[in-house]
Amino acid sequence: MDATESLAKLIRTALSNGETVRVSFVKNDGTLAVDRQITRNLTVIPKDMHPKFVRADHPHYITGFDIKKNGWIRFHADSVRGCMDFSRTAEKMALAS
């Protein structure tokens, strides 16, 4: 497994666990999407944006709800350039205050 595949697996696992992940990836037009905050946690996603049905995710793509753009996005796993899971850090900060 190469670094890109490992990174994609890490993102998928975090999303499946309801975490919010910051990702950077190359868009279809070749530009870089930086610091996209994505999640699959339905408590974070507005009710009117919840999926109407559940379907299997294509193994080469990552799907998540972009919190800043307020919409669903999907990108190829090979296009990932970086990620950071910050939901645990946010939880720790909330507990500390």
Side-chain angles (χ1 to χ4, degrees), residues 4-92:
T4 303
E5 290 173 0
S6 296
L7 199 53
K9 183 176 180 181
L10 175 76
I11 294 168
R12 281 193 190 96
T13 301
L15 291 174
S16 294
N17 290 334
E19 298 175 25
T20 301
V21 182
R22 289 170 41 184
V23 296
S24 298
F25 59 92
V26 178
K27 298 191 298 186
N28 289 338
D29 65 4
T31 60
L32 186 63
V34 180
D35 196 29
R36 291 290 189 72
Q37 296 178 18
I38 63 172
T39 189
R40 290 187 195 155
N41 186 337
L42 295 178
T43 61
V44 177
I45 301 168
K47 286 189 189 269
D48 63 329
M49 299 297 289
H50 284 193
K52 304 296 184 248
F53 56 90
V54 178
R55 63 178 173 201
D57 211 8
H58 191 284
H60 299 294
Y61 288 89
I62 297 170
T63 303
F65 186 82
D66 188 324
I67 295 171
K68 289 182 180 178
K69 299 279 185 183
N70 201 36
W72 290 93
I73 61 171
R74 183 178 183 195
F75 51 93
H76 200 277
D78 290 343
S79 70
V80 175
R81 295 297 176 258
C83 80
M84 182 175 137
D85 170 16
F86 70 95
S87 60
R88 288 192 183 127
T89 303
E91 288 172 11
K92 287 178 188 174

